[in-house]
Amino acid sequence: MVGIKNIKYVNDDGVTLESADVVYTDKTEDELFEKQLDGTEGIICWYTNDNGLPLGVAGVL
């Protein structure tokens, strides 16, 4: 699991990750989720399950 920001999606689809800045590789899932909820760093956590589907993305409306 990594914490990323400055995310660019293919065709701006909001799903297919084209590029991003990796800012955390040393945080747990819970730590990254707390940072997402806080919203001050503009990060999301990104990981894949066994099926390769992205999970763990928290959006701020």
Side-chain angles (χ1 to χ4, degrees), residues 7-59:
I7 301 154
K8 182 176 180 185
Y9 295 101
V10 174
N11 298 322
D12 293 322
D13 66 5
V15 177
T16 307
L17 187 68
E18 182 175 312
S19 65
D21 296 333
V22 175
V23 292
Y24 291 109
T25 59
D26 59 345
K27 304 289 184 210
T28 67
E29 179 180 348
D30 289 339
E31 289 172 320
L32 286 173
F33 187 65
E34 287 295 323
K35 289 186 173 295
Q36 289 179 90
L37 291 178
D38 180 40
T40 59
E41 295 186 47
I43 69 159
I44 67 168
C45 62
W46 189 270
Y47 63 98
T48 59
N49 63 14
D50 292 340
N51 295 323
L53 300 173
L55 298 173
V57 177

